[in-house]
Each structure stands twice: as structure tokens, then as C-alpha cells.
Amino acid sequence: MATDLGELQSKLWETADQLRANSELKSSEYASPVLGLIFLRYADQRFEQATAEVGEGSKRRKIGSDDYKAIGALYLPEESRFERLLELPEGTDRGRAINKAMEAVEEHNQDLRGVLPKDYSRIPDDILGELLRLLQSLPEAIEGDGFGLIYEYFLGKFALAEGRGGGEFFTPTSIVRLIVEILEPFHGKIYDPACGSGGMFVQSAHFVERHRGKPSDELSIYGQERVADTVRLAKMNLAVHGLGGDIRQGNTYYEDLHDSFGQFDFVMANPPFNVNGVDKAKLEDDDRFPFGLPTADNANYLWIQTFYSALNGTGRAGFVMANSASDARGSELQIRRKLIEDRCVDVIVVVGTNMFYTVTLPVTLWFLDRGKRGTEREEKVLFVDARGIYNQIDRSHRDWTPEQIEFLANIVRLWRGKEAEFETESEELLTDVMPQGVYADVAGLCGRATLEGIEDENWSLNPGRYISVPAMDDGVDIEQALPPLRKRLSELTAEADQLSTLVNRSLETFA
């Protein structure tokens, strides 16, 4: 009988969260050890499967960690086996035993050196015992990437519990999935210079699997992240999904640890918005900023150029950006103009409110394609307004359903002259707006703009300027009323982003 993964995830979280409440630990303190035990439970199950595959060896050749690594499994010494930890006698210091188990895993698997949590002594022994029993109760076999999906689910729940702090390491899965579906990373080198816990990489691997490929054969993963604890989360996240990658700790503003210029097929990221205080004097001779450094004390256009410059000649980028960047003035406008004139801006999607843990304001997804030159899209940009498309999770949070993600991605596929995909039964959604199965502008949803038209709008990338509004029969002259409304909307959006930045800075002083 197939496991109901959604029910299993919810039950696991409910039980684990009750244990957290009883342990008097904050979510931020509890997240790492719980994720570590989920990781170890997954590694133990995979080790069991791999042991049957590698065999027992012989007197002349003993089986070792390299044999397990060759088939995508971690080697677990006896002291790291999950069952052994579960059967520790009463009175044993479980925290110390689990710490030693994690150390032993790292010792036999060099890629995980310094990655796994070893702070279990802070959690009472009875709570650790309950956690071990909880995870041991998981079915022997969960279909597909079951443990990986449980790990992702817990990452998201911990991020939600932490609010703003959680958003620093976790981008909501539905946002990441849409970015990946539009980029279509079938094969190549992927780079995320603000990689958090590695969600972009994991969803790229899922994309390859859905298209009948093997991620380890098709994708090469490279990431950079400023916070050491988050780097460890990312490496664990890759490992629990059976993925490998080169994730390094560094401040992307000043350090380009992967020599990224022109190297990557795909770049995807959710960078921090509206960061000030970056020392631009250190960046004056940096090749990553070919269109110049912005004079404004705002790092948005540093990030945008970082993504652009990391792409090879046919590379694609997809990233989250503050709405204010679409209409920013001064030096930022001049950088945006050069980017548009380079003919690499492909798709702009505006996203509604409450889709992120860190900000309640709407944001924009930018997609660059350096391979669009010579195509029918070379002189055009597609704009999509997704603000009215969402699934309400609770009063304060929204996401997209798989059908909605596929629907939005299909609009872009048709725009690119490709066939739509209907694995999540989104065909009715698409047929309602594009019944002929070919791209067409739809009032209130999507519209194309030429470079000449964008120049007429002072190089704005605000979708509201290019998507026509649905017809209204109330006597209002839309053509006359719309321009001042657009101008006012741009002003209000800029003011809202500035206020959001001020509020966030004020909150940080109390953190």
C-alpha cells in the first residue's frame, strides 16, 4: 500500500513540534538537530539498500566507503547505525552517543566534514529517545524521494516558525519550483550565489527526474552562501537527496569563490533585497559588474549583474527581486537600460503579497536568457501578472499549487514556441485563456512588449505598464485613466519598499 506522504509529513511535524515545546528550545535551536536525525535516518535506510548492492567483498578486497559512494550512498560505521542509537539502554547519555555517531559519519564521508550537527547534548535524553522512535516508525520504503521531501517539508516548517530569520535560509518551494520550471535546467552547470539551504538545486534535480533524467549525470551544482550554519544546511540537504555539489562559504559581494564570470548554464537565486552599506570601492575592478556600479546605496543592481555576468553565451538566469528594482531611477535605470539593450531580458513575473516569510509585499521574478539572440523573441520581453493566482495557506501566507505553477510555466513555454506540459492536470487552466494552444496576450494576465515600447516607458520593467487591463463597461476611459495610475503605482511601490527596508532595519536592532 502506497504511503500517504502528505499525511506522514504532517504527523511527523506535529509530533516533533510537540517535543520541541516540551524541550524549551527555540525553533532555531531545535531545527538543526531534528534535521540531522532525519538525515541520519535516510542515510541508514540507503546504507541498508546499498549493502545488498555492494556485497560482502572478499579476503583480498574489503568493502569500504568508496564502494558506497560509487552508488550514491554514505558509508555508516556501526556506531552511526540508527537502530543502535534507538536501542541504547536506559541511563545512556543519548546526546553524547548521537554526537559521536555524527562524528563517525563525517570521518568516513569526507564531503560531510564539519557539516552534521553535534549539539545533541542540549536536548534532554527522553526527548531524544522520542525523536529516534518517531523517525524509526517511518515506513521501510517511501516512494521516490520520500526522505528528501520530508526533509524539505521540515525545512519549510522551521523557516515558517522563525519568520524573518527563517527566510534567510529557505525560499518557499512553490516560488523555487516556478523559477526552475521556467528555466528548464535539463542539463548543465547550475550556480546560486545566495544559495541558502540549497532549495534551487534540489528542485532542479526534481525537474530532471520528472523529465526522466538522472540528476547526478545531468547537473553540476555550485553554490555560495555567507552564513556557515546555512552552508551546512545546504550540504545536508544535497546529501539527503543523493546529490553532490560544491558549496562554499563566502560573502558574494566581495568574494567570487567559483570564478563565476561566463561559467554557468543556469543561475538561480533569492538574494537579500535593498541591502545598503556595501563597500563599492572594493568592486571597482570586478568583471562581474560590466554595466557599472550603481551610485545608490542599494545592492539590488549588484546582484542583478552578478547573475547576468555568471552566464555563458546561452545561459539562463531566474531570480527574485524587489519590485522597486523594476522602476529604479538614476544610475540603476542606466544599468537596467544596458541590460535590456543587451537583449537578454526574457520574462518578468510579478508575484502577489504574502508569498514569502521575510516580506509581505509583492515581489518580481526576473528571467534572463543570453541565448535568445537570433530568435523571434530577441526584440521582445514577456510580462506576466501572477498576483491574482495563489493558494491561501493561512491568513498570512500563500503559495501556488502544482497546477498553478505548471499553468504559469506553460505560458512561458508557449511564448518560447514550445509545447505545454500537463503532468499536473493544468490543461483546463491554460485552455481557458489560450484555447488554440499558442501564445496570445491576455488582458490582466500577460503581455508582450518590444524594446521600442519599453524605451517609451523609460526602460521600466514594471509589468503593469505592458499588460492590458480587462475590459470595463463603466464609462471610464481606460486609455486616459491608466498612465497616471501607473505612475502613482510606481511611486507607491518604491515608497513601500523603502518603508519595508526601514522596518526591517529597525527590527534587526531588537533581534
Side-chain angles (χ1 to χ4, degrees):
M1 182 176 177
T3 302
D4 185 335
L5 187 58
E7 182 181 344
L8 182 60
Q9 288 170 328
S10 299
K11 189 176 295 185
L12 280 171
W13 171 258
E14 183 180 349
T15 307
D17 200 43
Q18 288 175 356
L19 295 176
R20 177 199 60 77
N22 293 330
S23 71
E24 299 182 353
L25 293 175
K26 299 177 183 177
S27 291
S28 56
E29 297 172 313
Y30 195 67
S32 180
V34 170
L35 290 168
L37 287 177
I38 293 174
F39 167 84
L40 189 61
R41 178 69 175 88
Y42 158 81
D44 188 80
Q45 186 193 60
R46 183 71 186 97
F47 178 80
E48 285 280 358
Q49 297 167 345
T51 298
E53 293 181 47
V54 299
E56 298 180 357
S58 65
K59 290 183 178 180
R60 305 181 86 182
R61 185 185 181 282
K62 293 185 177 181
I63 298 297
S65 57
D66 288 342
D67 297 287
Y68 285 84
K69 184 176 181 180
I71 58 174
L74 301 174
Y75 179 80
L76 297 188
E78 184 60 31
E79 62 266 39
S80 302
R81 298 301 306 277
F82 204 89
E83 188 172 344
R84 183 177 183 277
L85 294 173
L86 188 69
E87 294 176 350
L88 290 171
E90 289 296 325
T92 303
D93 187 338
R94 284 197 178 92
R96 184 169 181 271
I98 297 174
N99 288 341
K100 291 180 71 66
M102 295 295 184
E103 290 171 359
V105 174
E106 291 186 349
E107 183 179 342
H108 287 84
N109 300 275
Q110 296 297 313
D111 291 345
L112 292 174
R113 277 288 173 95
V115 170
L116 302 182
K118 306 175 197 68
D119 51 357
Y120 290 92
S121 295
R122 295 184 304 145
I123 302 177
D125 274 355
D126 60 328
I127 299 295
L128 287 174
E130 285 299 317
L131 278 172
L132 290 168
R133 283 189 284 276
L134 167 68
L135 294 173
Q136 182 65 17
S137 69
L138 292 175
E140 284 297 314
I142 305 176
E143 292 75 11
D145 182 28
F147 274 101
L149 294 174
I150 289 170
Y151 188 91
E152 288 173 48
Y153 179 81
F154 269 66
L155 268 176
K157 296 294 284 187
F158 280 125
L160 186 60
E162 290 185 47
R164 288 185 64 255
E168 293 181 4
F169 66 80
F170 186 80
T171 304
T173 300
S174 65
I175 294 288
V176 179
R177 276 203 62 185
L178 181 60
I179 290 174
V180 169
E181 288 293 322
I182 290 177
L183 286 186
E184 298 185 314
F186 288 104
H187 174 84
K189 295 172 65 177
I190 299 179
Y191 178 50
D192 184 346
C195 71
S197 55
M200 299 287 182
F201 305 133
V202 169
Q203 292 303 323
S204 295
H206 290 334
F207 176 87
V208 171
E209 289 168 345
R210 285 196 299 273
H211 291 84
R212 310 296 183 264
K214 185 178 180 182
S216 58
D217 292 341
E218 302 296 339
L219 302 178
S220 299
I221 291 170
Y222 301 83
Q224 188 166 315
E225 167 58 42
R226 180 179 59 86
V227 181
D229 284 346
T230 309
V231 171
R232 288 191 280 271
L233 274 181
K235 290 184 175 182
M236 283 173 58
N237 199 7
L238 291 182
V240 85
H241 286 88
L243 301 171
D246 187 353
I247 312 297
R248 303 183 186 184
Q249 182 188 356
N251 187 328
T252 301
Y253 297 125
Y254 310 116
E255 301 170 276
D256 184 15
L257 300 179
H258 292 292
D259 296 322
S260 66
F261 188 86
Q263 292 295 313
F264 294 97
D265 299 289
F266 301 98
V267 175
M268 50 191 81
N270 175 23
F273 298 162
N274 302 321
V275 173
N276 63 356
V278 177
D279 187 353
K280 290 194 283 288
K282 296 180 180 180
L283 309 179
E284 289 179 356
D285 298 320
D286 197 318
D287 291 339
R288 294 178 297 161
F289 310 107
F291 301 134
L293 299 174
T295 56
D297 190 13
N298 186 310
N300 289 343
Y301 275 81
L302 295 177
W303 282 112
I304 291 170
Q305 291 189 80
T306 296
F307 307 143
Y308 165 85
S309 62
L311 295 174
N312 60 29
T314 58
R316 288 178 177 175
F319 50 90
V320 186
M321 187 47 58
N323 274 7
S324 57
S326 300
D327 279 313
R329 303 292 179 176
S331 62
E332 293 169 307
L333 184 152
Q334 296 307 315
I335 294 171
R336 186 171 65 251
R337 173 180 179 171
K338 293 175 184 177
L339 195 70
I340 295 168
E341 290 179 330
D342 187 70
R343 290 159 174 78
C344 69
V345 179
D346 192 32
V347 182
I348 302 290
V349 181
V350 64
V351 178
T353 59
N354 297 323
M355 296 286 284
F356 287 80
Y357 305 144
T358 48
V359 292
T360 58
L361 295 171
V363 300
T364 305
L365 307 182
W366 292 40
F367 295 90
L368 311 181
D369 184 354
R370 296 190 71 172
K372 67 183 283 189
R373 283 181 175 273
T375 71
E376 293 181 357
R377 307 183 341 265
E378 180 178 355
E379 300 287 330
K380 299 174 184 176
V381 176
L382 173 66
F383 295 89
V384 179
D385 187 344
R387 289 175 298 177
I389 300 172
Y390 58 85
N391 170 55
Q392 196 76 37
I393 302 173
D394 55 38
R395 189 177 66 177
S396 303
H397 300 95
R398 298 170 171 175
D399 66 2
W400 286 312
T401 65
E403 293 84 358
Q404 290 168 334
I405 293 169
E406 187 175 74
F407 167 66
L408 291 168
N410 277 337
I411 292 174
V412 179
R413 290 189 181 103
L414 295 184
W415 148 255
R416 291 174 176 159
K418 296 185 174 183
E419 292 186 3
E421 297 184 2
F422 299 115
E423 291 190 7
T424 65
E425 301 179 356
S426 67
E427 187 169 5
E428 184 176 347
L429 291 174
L430 189 65
T431 302
D432 283 346
V433 295
M434 298 179 190
Q436 302 303 316
V438 295
Y439 177 82
D441 290 348
V442 178
L445 176 63
C446 56
R448 295 160 291 189
T450 63
L451 298 195
E452 183 179 357
I454 294 173
E455 181 179 5
D456 289 343
E457 293 287 350
N458 200 22
W459 305 103
S460 170
L461 289 177
N462 185 335
R465 294 177 181 262
Y466 309 104
I467 300 174
S468 64
V469 297
M472 297 172 60
D473 188 18
D474 58 2
V476 176
D477 186 342
I478 295 297
E479 293 300 324
Q480 185 176 359
L482 205 52
L485 290 175
R486 284 174 174 166
K487 181 179 179 182
R488 184 56 180 153
L489 176 61
S490 296
E491 293 171 351
L492 290 172
T493 299
E495 290 176 13
D497 278 320
Q498 291 171 0
L499 287 171
S500 176
T501 301
L502 290 173
V503 170
N504 288 341
R505 289 178 192 161
S506 299
L507 290 172
E508 287 170 1
T509 63
F510 296 101

